[in-house]
Amino acid sequence: MEKELLYPVTNQYRFDQSLDGLWDFKFDEAAEGQQQGWPQKGLPAAIQMPVPASFNDFFTDKAAREYTGDFWYAKRVFVPRAFQGRVIGLRFGAATHRATVYVNGQEIRQHEGGFLPFTADISSVVKFDQENLVVLKLNNELHRDALPAGDTGVLKNGKKMAKPFFDFYNYSGLNRSVQLMAVPQDRVTDYSVTTTLTATTAEVHYTVTTSQATAKVTVTLQDEQGTVVATGHGRQGTLIVDQPQLWNVRDAHLYTIAIQLTVNDDPVDEYRDQIGLRTIEIVGHQILVNGEPVYLKGFGRHEDSIYAGRAFDLNVEKRDFELMKWMGANSFRTSHYPYDEAVYRFADREGFLIIDEVPAVGFKMAAASFLGGLDQSFFDGEWTTELYKKHLDQITDMVHRDKNHPSVLAWSLLNEPDTSSKSAVPYFEKLFADTQALDPDQRPRTFTLNEDDTFDTSYCKQFPDFYLLNRYPGWYHKWGYEISDGEAGLRAELDKWQASEIDKPVVFSEYGADTQPGLHKLPSVMWSEEYQIELLQMFNRVFDSYDFIRGEQPWNLADFQTVEGNMRVNGNKKGLFTRDRQPKEAAFYLRKRWAGIDNNF
Ligand SMILES: CCC[C@@H]1NC[C@@H](O)[C@H](O)[C@H]1C(=O)O
């Protein structure tokens, strides 16, 4: 069960019970919880903590907000007798950054990686028709050999302190839902679908994996009217759909796939999901969906909001989608970590394209030196062997979890790594080789090229299937009145891309200006709303000059929290919207531009 990532459902064979709500919670600065017997006895003098939530912003004292180290959760969970005979599991949507799970005093499993789900099989220790003590030890320290990359400092007063090599707050906790699951012994454990198109049909190639070899497998596809349009038998096959309703950008049509297992004609399990029939290709400078070119209009985002930090909040997500639709957007990048599963379901239904990104962020000593790191190439560090294992593991889980979403366009394997040194090449060679076969749909793989990783300076341009450029002339250099030099420099670099043999699309995945809402100045100054528009106008003039630029995703949809710093005014203010999701002037400007750019431009 521990490698199963199917989204939990309740039906006549399966039970999914939410464990969200208030849990016992306790910091453990002395890291003594284990020898104090907390897994066996529960948490002494615990406080109450909402789940899902980051703990940080609830508190009124800085030591609690900034707490770094071990911290514990506990909850007594009643498991009804009705679940007997099934495999019983606990599914954690995200425990940031690492967790150890105990049930009734027994250690069940550990998990590393704060932005992907994992399941603990508790069948061997669960007690039916009574309460079971579920205890978790979490840890939110940052390390150079873990994702996202950073250091953990120790202050003179003995307090640990997170030192991220990345620009988002190290929100920590059970940031996504926790579920109690009961599933059949003989069950569907995974499935995958890929689509090929002919002039009049869609061929849906499916693979089903099951926990046991005995059951017979039947797969049906139903259209939006509930009509069964195709049926297949066996663990592998192809369903032919005549006159299919294809999944298109901002014109989504979904089918229901139903996978039934029977033993001696008796049904033992069923798993249903929503899928979209579409193809994705990179052909020359074009990104094609169902053979049609698409132009990406969208954003870099964060799962970030006031009160609960990085907690997944369906209300915020709904508002974000309404804002993106209002803007005329059709895509976003899950910067800088895989988002909650509900986000991909939203995108499937709304016809948005997603660049799905793992938290391989901060792999750059310059970022560290911004925080007092070393001046060396990140990939020369002795930490890269251990880091690689975790990196590949998290890409594997991201693809495993998200591979059936029609909205997922591509996999972003890193954000702004240091590729300006040859020492990056062996790491990238292995990463792109080891991830080649993970996705049955063989979606494009990419990473974002930072400011310093230009056409001339990056040693890793040979790897991505298309390019994501993060560029900040007008903000991090050639800013203010010098922005015209910034534009000239950007054009000079793009002229080299254009003159090269490189025959792949380029998408601008980050550009922008920190902007204080309500700050107006004529003529403009940096941080004013006028300047944010001027900077976007500069980039848009450049985008409109090169036909190999196939997308624009300014940084960021909304303002978001970062560490304190002399370059941050209570967080990063590059949002087109404020953190409470209200528009800055630039949102109206960009909305007007995007109204004139067709999704299939
Ligand atoms: C020059 C690097 C820019 C940087 N890129 C990664 C994002 O996570 C940051 O927020 C963004 C920024 O500093 O605004």
Side-chain angles (χ1 to χ4, degrees):
M1 167 176 246
E2 304 214 336
K3 273 293 164 203
E4 295 174 37
L5 295 180
L6 285 179
Y7 196 76
V9 294
T10 294
N11 60 29
Q12 58 271 55
Y13 313 100
R14 294 167 171 251
F15 296 92
D16 160 41
Q17 182 183 316
S18 169
L19 299 180
D20 291 352
L22 288 175
W23 285 55
D24 287 354
F25 179 88
K26 192 176 181 64
F27 291 125
D28 182 7
E29 203 155 6
E32 63 184 3
Q34 220 136 344
Q35 92 254 12
Q36 294 291 327
W38 296 357
Q40 291 73 34
K41 296 183 284 190
L43 312 184
I47 61 171
Q48 293 298 287
M49 182 58 63
V51 169
S54 309
F55 66 75
N56 312 78
D57 284 347
F58 292 129
F59 296 106
T60 54
D61 65 296
K62 210 159 194 177
R65 186 187 71 197
E66 302 300 324
Y67 178 81
T68 304
D70 289 354
F71 53 101
W72 296 72
Y73 287 83
K75 190 177 187 70
R76 293 188 184 281
V77 176
F78 184 87
V79 180
R81 182 191 311 273
F83 288 7
Q84 249 173 331
R86 289 179 172 79
V87 177
I88 312 297
L90 292 169
R91 189 183 197 267
F92 300 90
T96 309
H97 290 291
R98 54 195 63 81
T100 304
V101 181
Y102 305 88
V103 175
N104 297 330
Q106 305 280 325
E107 180 177 327
I108 306 297
R109 70 164 293 177
Q110 299 186 9
H111 183 264
E112 171 75 29
F115 303 95
L116 283 163
F118 62 97
T119 304
D121 184 340
I122 64 171
S123 310
S124 61
V125 298
V126 73
K127 294 173 189 149
F128 292 101
D129 263 9
Q130 51 187 298
E131 290 195 328
N132 293 261
L133 178 60
V134 176
V135 177
L136 277 92
K137 180 180 79 170
L138 269 68
N139 177 282
N140 64 346
E141 294 173 22
L142 300 176
H143 305 290
R144 297 180 185 188
D145 67 358
L147 296 79
D151 281 341
T152 297
V154 181
L155 303 175
K156 291 193 177 11
N157 62 13
K159 298 263 181 218
K160 288 179 181 175
M161 178 183 175
K163 289 184 168 280
F165 297 173
F166 48 88
D167 186 42
F168 52 92
Y169 192 79
N170 189 40
Y171 281 122
S172 310
L174 289 175
N175 281 326
R176 295 177 191 159
S177 286
V178 182
Q179 287 144 294
L180 173 69
M181 299 163 56
V183 293
Q185 301 284 350
D186 194 350
R187 66 185 175 279
V188 178
T189 55
D190 195 19
Y191 81 94
S192 67
V193 284
T194 62
T195 302
T196 49
L197 301 178
T198 70
T200 58
T201 65
E203 297 178 355
V204 182
H205 314 286
Y206 71 84
T207 302
V208 174
T209 49
T210 58
S211 56
Q212 297 174 16
T214 42
K216 265 179 61 187
V217 177
T218 307
V219 179
T220 58
L221 266 191
Q222 286 178 352
D223 64 17
E224 290 167 327
Q225 289 68 45
T227 310
V228 174
V229 294
T231 300
H233 300 279
R235 285 165 173 71
Q236 208 153 25
T238 297
L239 303 168
I240 309 289
V241 181
D242 290 323
Q243 305 303 328
Q245 290 198 299
L246 299 182
W247 187 93
N248 278 300
V249 176
R250 302 294 293 115
D251 177 19
H253 293 280
L254 296 172
Y255 286 76
T256 299
I257 186 170
I259 305 167
Q260 286 115 358
L261 301 192
T262 53
V263 173
N264 305 325
D265 294 333
D266 292 334
V268 296
D269 190 25
E270 178 179 88
Y271 192 80
R272 301 165 77 88
D273 206 355
Q274 300 256 291
I275 64 169
L277 313 188
R278 61 101 184 91
T279 60
I280 281 168
E281 299 161 89
I282 302 284
V283 176
H285 290 144
Q286 298 287 6
I287 299 170
L288 305 180
V289 174
N290 302 330
E292 289 290 311
V294 291
Y295 184 83
L296 302 185
K297 300 178 285 180
F299 299 94
R301 299 179 59 196
H302 266 299
E303 284 185 324
D304 170 284
S305 56
I306 54 181
Y307 308 130
R310 188 114 19 254
F312 178 70
D313 183 332
L314 210 47
N315 307 292
V316 175
E317 195 60 32
K318 176 63 181 170
R319 172 71 175 172
D320 281 357
F321 262 92
E322 292 308 312
L323 295 178
M324 292 193 285
K325 290 191 292 184
W326 178 79
M327 286 292 294
N330 58 24
S331 64
F332 57 87
R333 173 169 57 116
T334 69
S335 38
H336 296 299
Y337 35 80
Y339 291 0
D340 186 281
E341 280 124 321
V343 175
Y344 303 75
R345 291 159 173 263
F346 256 112
D348 290 346
R349 285 189 200 94
E350 299 284 5
F352 270 66
L353 290 170
I354 295 176
I355 298 170
D356 208 357
E357 184 164 278
V358 283
V361 57
F363 292 13
K364 182 179 183 61
M365 291 322 290
S369 57
F370 173 58
L371 291 144
L374 301 175
D375 185 15
Q376 66 170 90
S377 162
F378 183 86
F379 294 96
D380 281 334
E382 85 287 343
W383 52 79
T384 49
T385 306
E386 181 57 27
L387 174 67
Y388 185 86
K389 280 187 244 164
K390 294 175 181 133
H391 192 177
L392 181 59
D393 180 51
Q394 292 183 36
I395 294 171
T396 303
D397 274 5
M398 173 177 73
V399 176
H400 184 180
R401 184 194 74 165
D402 299 339
K403 62 183 178 294
N404 292 323
H405 289 286
S407 53
V408 176
L409 162 72
W411 310 108
S412 173
L413 307 189
L414 309 101
N415 179 68
E416 298 180 340
D418 178 1
T419 65
S420 59
S421 148
K422 281 201 180 109
S423 55
V425 176
Y427 190 100
F428 275 68
E429 246 156 18
K430 188 163 170 40
L431 191 70
F432 276 79
D434 288 351
T435 55
Q436 169 73 44
L438 291 178
D439 176 10
D441 205 15
Q442 290 292 287
R443 294 170 177 86
R445 291 164 301 150
T446 184
F447 68 94
T448 71
L449 281 157
N450 177 279
E451 273 291 54
D452 310 324
D453 300 81
T454 64
F455 179 83
D456 288 333
T457 59
S458 175
Y459 284 91
C460 295
K461 291 198 299 291
Q462 63 275 34
F463 296 111
D465 296 314
F466 69 99
Y467 296 99
L468 296 177
L469 301 190
N470 293 359
R471 292 290 181 273
Y472 284 88
W475 190 255
Y476 285 114
H477 59 93
K478 303 287 183 239
W479 58 63
Y481 191 49
E482 275 190 285
I483 194 168
S484 55
D485 280 6
E487 178 171 355
L490 183 58
R491 287 178 181 276
E493 181 194 1
L494 290 170
D495 290 345
K496 290 177 182 166
W497 286 94
Q498 184 159 52
S500 74
E501 297 75 55
I502 288 179
D503 187 23
K504 297 176 184 174
V506 167
V507 170
F508 271 74
S509 41
E510 281 188 33
Y511 54 101
D514 281 86
T515 302
Q516 189 58 31
L519 176 58
H520 292 282
K521 184 94 175 180
L522 185 65
S524 69
V525 289
M526 292 171 79
W527 289 92
S528 69
E529 299 215 39
E530 288 73 22
Y531 188 76
Q532 187 178 31
I533 293 171
E534 285 167 24
L535 181 133
L536 293 176
Q537 285 171 329
M538 181 275 277
F539 274 92
N540 295 335
R541 272 198 303 276
V542 174
F543 299 160
D544 295 345
S545 311
Y546 298 90
D547 65 0
F548 59 83
I549 293 175
R550 300 301 300 152
E552 50 190 76
Q553 297 186 335
W555 190 252
N556 187 290
L557 172 67
D559 295 343
F560 58 91
Q561 197 64 56
T562 65
V563 291
E564 296 175 274
N566 52 18
M567 292 170 70
R568 291 287 174 262
V569 182
N570 184 22
N572 186 307
K573 294 289 194 283
K574 292 189 181 71
L576 274 291
F577 293 83
T578 58
R579 199 176 184 211
D580 63 350
R581 273 55 183 187
Q582 298 306 334
K584 298 177 189 175
E585 280 299 313
F588 296 93
Y589 155 73
L590 194 56
R591 178 172 189 253
K592 225 161 128 199
R593 168 181 167 81
W594 284 354
I597 301 177
D598 188 70
N599 292 319
N600 297 111
F601 153 68

Coordinates of all heavy atoms in Angstrom, one line a residue, residues 166-168 302 333 335-336 361 415-416 448 450-452 470-472 475-476 510 512 514 555-556 560 562 567-568 572-574, ligand 1:
F166 N 16.0 29.6 -1.0 CA 14.8 29.9 -1.9 C 14.0 31.0 -1.4 O 14.2 31.4 -0.2 CB 14.0 28.6 -2.1 CG 13.7 27.9 -0.8 CD1 12.5 28.3 -0.1 CD2 14.5 26.9 -0.3 CE1 12.2 27.7 1.1 CE2 14.2 26.3 0.9 CZ 13.0 26.7 1.6
D167 N 13.1 31.5 -2.2 CA 12.4 32.8 -1.8 C 10.9 32.5 -1.5 O 10.1 33.2 -2.1 CB 12.5 33.8 -3.0 CG 12.0 35.1 -2.7 OD1 12.2 35.6 -1.6 OD2 11.2 35.7 -3.6
F168 N 10.7 31.6 -0.6 CA 9.3 31.4 -0.1 C 9.5 31.0 1.3 O 10.5 30.3 1.7 CB 8.4 30.5 -0.9 CG 9.0 29.1 -1.2 CD1 8.7 28.0 -0.4 CD2 9.8 28.9 -2.3 CE1 9.2 26.8 -0.6 CE2 10.3 27.6 -2.6 CZ 10.0 26.6 -1.8
H302 N 2.0 30.3 -5.9 CA 2.4 29.6 -4.7 C 1.2 29.1 -4.0 O 0.1 29.8 -4.1 CB 3.2 30.6 -3.7 CG 4.7 30.5 -3.8 ND1 5.4 29.3 -3.6 CD2 5.6 31.4 -4.2 CE1 6.7 29.6 -3.8 NE2 6.8 30.8 -4.2
R333 N 2.4 27.4 -13.6 CA 3.5 26.5 -13.2 C 3.3 26.2 -11.7 O 3.0 27.2 -10.9 CB 4.9 27.0 -13.4 CG 6.0 26.3 -12.8 CD 7.4 26.8 -13.3 NE 7.7 28.2 -13.1 CZ 8.6 28.7 -12.3 NH1 9.4 27.8 -11.6 NH2 8.8 30.0 -12.2
S335 N 5.0 26.3 -9.2 CA 6.2 26.8 -8.6 C 6.0 26.8 -7.1 O 5.0 27.2 -6.6 CB 6.5 28.2 -9.0 OG 5.3 29.0 -9.2
H336 N 7.0 26.3 -6.2 CA 8.1 25.5 -6.7 C 8.0 24.1 -6.1 O 9.0 23.6 -5.6 CB 9.4 26.2 -6.2 CG 9.7 27.5 -6.8 ND1 9.8 27.7 -8.2 CD2 9.8 28.7 -6.2 CE1 10.1 29.0 -8.4 NE2 10.0 29.6 -7.2
V361 N 14.7 23.4 -5.7 CA 14.8 24.9 -5.7 C 15.9 25.2 -4.7 O 16.1 24.6 -3.7 CB 13.5 25.6 -5.5 CG1 12.9 25.2 -4.1 CG2 13.6 27.1 -5.6
N415 N 14.1 24.3 -10.4 CA 13.9 25.8 -10.6 C 15.2 26.5 -10.3 O 15.8 26.4 -9.3 CB 12.8 26.3 -9.6 CG 12.7 27.8 -9.9 OD1 12.2 28.3 -10.9 ND2 13.2 28.7 -8.9
E416 N 15.7 27.2 -11.4 CA 16.9 28.0 -11.3 C 18.1 27.3 -10.6 O 18.7 27.8 -9.7 CB 16.5 29.3 -10.5 CG 15.5 30.1 -11.1 CD 15.2 31.4 -10.3 OE1 15.4 31.4 -9.1 OE2 14.6 32.3 -10.9
T448 N 13.8 25.6 -15.1 CA 13.8 27.0 -15.4 C 15.3 27.5 -15.4 O 16.0 27.1 -14.5 CB 13.0 27.8 -14.3 OG1 13.7 27.8 -13.1 CG2 11.6 27.3 -14.2
N450 N 17.8 30.3 -14.8 CA 17.9 31.6 -14.0 C 18.5 32.7 -14.8 O 19.2 32.4 -15.8 CB 18.7 31.2 -12.8 CG 18.9 32.4 -11.9 OD1 19.8 33.2 -12.1 ND2 18.1 32.5 -10.9
E451 N 18.4 33.9 -14.3 CA 19.1 35.1 -14.8 C 20.5 34.8 -15.2 O 21.0 35.3 -16.2 CB 19.3 36.0 -13.6 CG 18.1 36.9 -13.4 CD 18.0 38.0 -14.4 OE1 17.9 37.7 -15.6 OE2 17.9 39.1 -14.0
D452 N 21.3 34.0 -14.4 CA 22.7 33.9 -14.6 C 23.0 32.7 -15.6 O 24.1 32.5 -16.0 CB 23.5 33.6 -13.3 CG 23.1 34.5 -12.2 OD1 22.9 35.7 -12.6 OD2 22.9 34.1 -11.1
N470 N 13.6 32.4 -16.7 CA 13.3 33.3 -15.6 C 14.3 34.5 -15.8 O 15.5 34.3 -15.7 CB 13.6 32.7 -14.2 CG 12.6 31.6 -13.9 OD1 11.7 31.3 -14.7 ND2 12.8 31.1 -12.7
R471 N 13.7 35.7 -16.2 CA 14.6 36.8 -16.5 C 14.1 38.1 -15.8 O 12.9 38.3 -15.8 CB 14.6 37.1 -18.0 CG 15.2 36.0 -18.9 CD 16.7 36.0 -18.7 NE 17.5 35.0 -19.4 CZ 17.7 33.7 -19.0 NH1 17.2 33.3 -17.8 NH2 18.4 32.9 -19.7
Y472 N 15.0 38.9 -15.2 CA 14.6 40.0 -14.4 C 15.3 41.3 -14.8 O 15.6 42.1 -13.9 CB 14.8 39.7 -12.9 CG 13.7 38.8 -12.4 CD1 13.9 37.4 -12.5 CD2 12.6 39.3 -11.9 CE1 12.9 36.5 -12.0 CE2 11.6 38.4 -11.4 CZ 11.7 37.1 -11.5 OH 10.7 36.2 -11.0
W475 N 14.5 44.7 -12.9 CA 14.2 44.5 -11.5 C 15.5 44.2 -10.7 O 16.0 45.0 -9.9 CB 13.2 43.5 -11.1 CG 12.8 43.6 -9.7 CD1 13.2 42.8 -8.7 CD2 12.2 44.7 -9.0 NE1 12.8 43.3 -7.4 CE2 12.2 44.5 -7.6 CE3 11.6 45.9 -9.5 CZ2 11.6 45.4 -6.7 CZ3 11.0 46.8 -8.6 CH2 11.0 46.5 -7.2
Y476 N 16.1 43.0 -11.0 CA 17.4 42.7 -10.3 C 18.6 43.2 -11.0 O 19.7 43.1 -10.4 CB 17.5 41.1 -10.2 CG 16.5 40.6 -9.1 CD1 15.4 39.8 -9.4 CD2 16.7 41.0 -7.8 CE1 14.6 39.3 -8.5 CE2 15.8 40.5 -6.8 CZ 14.8 39.7 -7.2 OH 13.9 39.3 -6.2
E510 N 9.2 33.4 -15.6 CA 9.3 34.4 -14.5 C 9.8 35.7 -15.0 O 10.8 35.7 -15.8 CB 10.2 34.0 -13.3 CG 9.6 33.0 -12.4 CD 10.5 32.7 -11.2 OE1 11.1 33.7 -10.7 OE2 10.5 31.6 -10.7
G512 N 9.1 40.1 -13.6 CA 8.2 40.9 -12.8 C 8.9 41.9 -11.9 O 10.2 42.0 -11.9
D514 N 8.6 43.9 -7.9 CA 7.9 44.0 -6.6 C 7.1 45.3 -6.6 O 7.7 46.4 -7.1 CB 8.9 44.1 -5.5 CG 9.4 42.7 -5.1 OD1 10.4 42.2 -5.7 OD2 8.8 42.0 -4.2
W555 N 5.8 36.6 -12.8 CA 5.9 36.3 -11.4 C 5.4 37.4 -10.6 O 5.8 38.5 -10.7 CB 7.4 36.1 -11.1 CG 7.7 35.5 -9.8 CD1 8.2 36.1 -8.7 CD2 7.5 34.1 -9.4 NE1 8.4 35.2 -7.7 CE2 7.9 34.0 -8.1 CE3 7.0 33.0 -10.0 CZ2 7.8 32.8 -7.3 CZ3 6.9 31.8 -9.3 CH2 7.3 31.7 -8.0
N556 N 4.3 37.1 -9.9 CA 3.6 35.9 -9.5 C 2.1 36.2 -9.6 O 1.8 37.4 -9.7 CB 4.1 35.6 -8.1 CG 3.5 34.2 -7.6 OD1 2.3 34.1 -7.4 ND2 4.4 33.2 -7.4
F560 N 3.3 36.9 -1.9 CA 3.4 35.7 -1.0 C 4.5 35.9 0.0 O 5.3 36.8 -0.1 CB 3.7 34.4 -1.8 CG 4.9 34.5 -2.7 CD1 6.2 34.1 -2.2 CD2 4.9 35.1 -4.0 CE1 7.3 34.2 -2.9 CE2 6.1 35.2 -4.7 CZ 7.3 34.7 -4.2
T562 N 7.7 35.4 2.4 CA 9.1 34.9 2.3 C 9.8 35.1 3.7 O 9.1 35.6 4.6 CB 9.9 35.8 1.3 OG1 10.0 37.1 1.9 CG2 9.2 35.8 -0.1
M567 N 15.4 43.0 1.3 CA 14.8 43.2 0.0 C 13.3 42.7 0.0 O 12.7 42.5 -1.1 CB 15.6 42.4 -1.0 CG 17.0 43.0 -1.2 SD 18.0 41.8 -2.2 CE 17.2 42.0 -3.8
R568 N 12.8 42.5 1.2 CA 11.4 42.0 1.2 C 10.6 42.8 2.1 O 11.0 43.1 3.3 CB 11.4 40.5 1.6 CG 12.0 39.6 0.6 CD 11.1 39.4 -0.6 NE 11.7 38.6 -1.7 CZ 12.2 39.2 -2.8 NH1 12.3 40.5 -2.9 NH2 12.7 38.4 -3.7
N572 N 7.3 38.7 -0.7 CA 7.5 39.1 -2.1 C 6.3 39.7 -2.7 O 5.2 39.2 -2.6 CB 7.8 37.8 -2.9 CG 8.3 38.0 -4.3 OD1 7.6 38.7 -5.1 ND2 9.4 37.5 -4.7
K573 N 6.5 40.9 -3.3 CA 5.3 41.7 -3.7 C 5.2 41.8 -5.3 O 4.7 42.8 -5.8 CB 5.5 43.1 -3.1 CG 5.3 43.2 -1.6 CD 3.9 42.9 -1.2 CE 3.6 43.2 0.2 NZ 4.1 42.2 1.2
K574 N 5.7 40.8 -5.9 CA 5.7 40.8 -7.4 C 4.3 40.3 -7.9 O 4.1 40.2 -9.2 CB 6.8 39.9 -8.0 CG 8.2 40.5 -7.8 CD 9.3 39.7 -8.5 CE 10.7 40.3 -8.3 NZ 11.1 39.9 -6.9
Ligands
LIG1 C1 16.3 36.2 -10.0 C2 15.5 35.2 -9.2 C3 14.1 35.6 -9.0 C4 13.3 34.6 -8.1 N1 13.1 33.4 -8.8 C5 12.5 32.3 -8.0 C6 11.3 32.8 -7.2 O1 10.9 31.8 -6.3 C7 11.6 34.1 -6.5 O2 10.5 34.6 -5.8 C8 12.1 35.2 -7.6 C9 12.2 36.5 -6.9 O3 13.3 36.8 -6.3 O4 11.2 37.3 -7.0

